[in-house]
Amino acid sequence: MSSINLFGFPIVVLRNVFSQFGPAEIFTISLCSKRTEQNLQYVMRPNTVVLHLTASDENEFTIECSRGRQCLTFRGSSESVDEYEYVVNTNAGSVPVSFSDKTVFVNCKKRVFKAFFKYICNIFRSEIGKLFLWSMTPSSQVPIWVIEWVMCQQESLKSLWILADEVSKENISYIVSKANITEELNLVSNYYKSNANIRMRPMSLRKFESFNSAWFTLENLINLDVETAKVYSTQLTSRNMFLRHWVYGGCGRLLEMYLEFGLRMIVDFNQVLDGIDFKRVEQKKADKYFSEYLSGFVGKDGGFKVRRKSDGKVALLLNNRQKPSFFNLLVDC
Amino acid sequence: MSVENAPVVDVDEAAIPVEKKMYYRFESNDKKEFRVSELAIQQSETLNRLVEAMGYTSEDVENKPAIAIENIDGKTLKLVFQWCEHHKGEAIPVDDGSVPKIVEIPEFDAKLMDIDNGLLFKLIWAADYLNIVQLLNVSCKKVANMAQGKTPAQLRRVYLLPSDEEDEAAKRAAQEAQDPRAREVEEEFEERKRQGGNSFF
């Protein structure tokens, strides 16, 4: 096998070579020696690898690393294995790993999880972009410590998904008040309690989705500057207040909003439109709009058009006869 | 209208004004001379600026000595100029910093770079020195491709990466090559540290 002195090249050349590596090659080079691992900090351009971290309560994690079309997945488990090929040296201890095609199996003790995540972020010089935490075992908690760790490492997180049977008030509170999410927040949990008094920091997001949202208040909704929002099982009664908030210039990014009030509640449009100028619109045949949220065309029922005073934007409040428990607002559709 | 039916127009080639091509002369550090077209030179930002600054006329190019390129040998420079001639007139890619770089190696380039790694190493240094963006991109792509599917042990061999043990050994050797008195002081210092002493003095 003929060889070439890689680190004999000037830094401009090295950066060019490293910008053409996939995540698998970068990770493999990091294993060659301590010096090569350190050199990655100088030759890797920051945030050129997209990192998605998934963690569960079962002491397992997955980190998907992608750069263009090239991907590498780390599958971590705290179960010990007898056979491994290489060792990743972290500050908290050594981590045995073995390769299989585009997957790296990581045998990681739970106490070393954070050090391993840090190692991956360091060698790729990239932040965690998407975090997906899940726990489907009753009585087990979603690993909130992962969000806390990410928030200590980086200023913000683009996307957070929580899928859990059990999520405490403290967990939801932490997510909506402390975690700095910048693009997408998706909460799927069985937290039913209303009047929980969960305070939400003002958030500017592309997408917000929450199931079982009895905790979700008008104040929360007004603090949410979002393009598309879907809030299920909410007990919000002040829909009129939100519409007024929008008409007078609030929630400037809004494109689509779905509020669902449970099967027993029906949206009373007289109450919603009280004191607001509107124009009734009848349903036309084959009248459809493109839903950014659903990434497809959706049938448009008739409804009520309201105009925003500050910039003249028009929103359609759908009168959805099939789904009377939906408050469905479409802006400029 | 088909090609067969198209009207044939006789062209008096002598009547068409032909712009006279200028060929610059360059000399490698082992005294090999090359004639390179003006258009081909444009692929190299360094050489293009150099010839612009010199402002040579056609006569100067013939009468004055060849432009010396001090740190590139003839074998490497031949490859560089072959590449520039083949790609003359092509747009020079702008590095917008986007990663991953999407680089395809054309057939001609692949054949040109079908060389031993020692010469490839020199070619890359030359492409960087002469600032030939696309040649640098394709040659770096060739180096990057060498890593595909390799284990760490294989990568150490391919890229001549020393292991931790080799790095340690090199560090020790460098220390031993130091002034013997300085080494003695250093060893004494290490010994005192091992014995738990707080201060050397």
Side-chain angles (χ1 to χ4, degrees), chain A residues 198-262:
Chain A
I198 292 175
R199 298 184 78 83
M200 194 160 150
R201 71 203 289 256
M203 290 176 124
S204 184
L205 298 171
R206 195 173 51 79
K207 200 168 170 181
F208 175 84
E209 187 163 346
S210 172
F211 288 75
N212 297 323
S213 317
W215 59 273
F216 197 77
T217 63
L218 176 70
E219 191 191 343
N220 296 152
L221 187 60
I222 283 172
N223 271 334
L224 196 60
D225 190 15
V226 67
E227 283 179 20
T228 55
K230 214 170 194 177
V231 183
Y232 284 91
S233 306
T234 171
Q235 293 179 4
L236 278 175
T237 49
S238 324
R239 275 89 73 175
N240 172 267
M241 292 286 281
F242 174 72
L243 200 55
R244 280 168 185 263
H245 172 68
W246 183 83
V247 165
Y248 286 98
C251 205
R253 293 177 69 175
L254 187 66
L255 297 174
E256 298 176 50
M257 177 164 284
Y258 302 83
L259 302 177
E260 193 267 333
F261 302 96

Side-chain angles (χ1 to χ4, degrees), chain B residues 116-141:
Chain B
D116 67 76
N117 282 346
L119 189 53
L120 180 66
F121 186 80
K122 288 181 183 178
L123 180 68
I124 292 173
W125 266 95
D128 178 47
Y129 175 68
L130 299 173
N131 206 351
I132 307 172
V133 178
Q134 189 57 7
L135 177 58
L136 190 61
N137 285 343
V138 290
S139 51
C140 286
K141 174 80 176 177

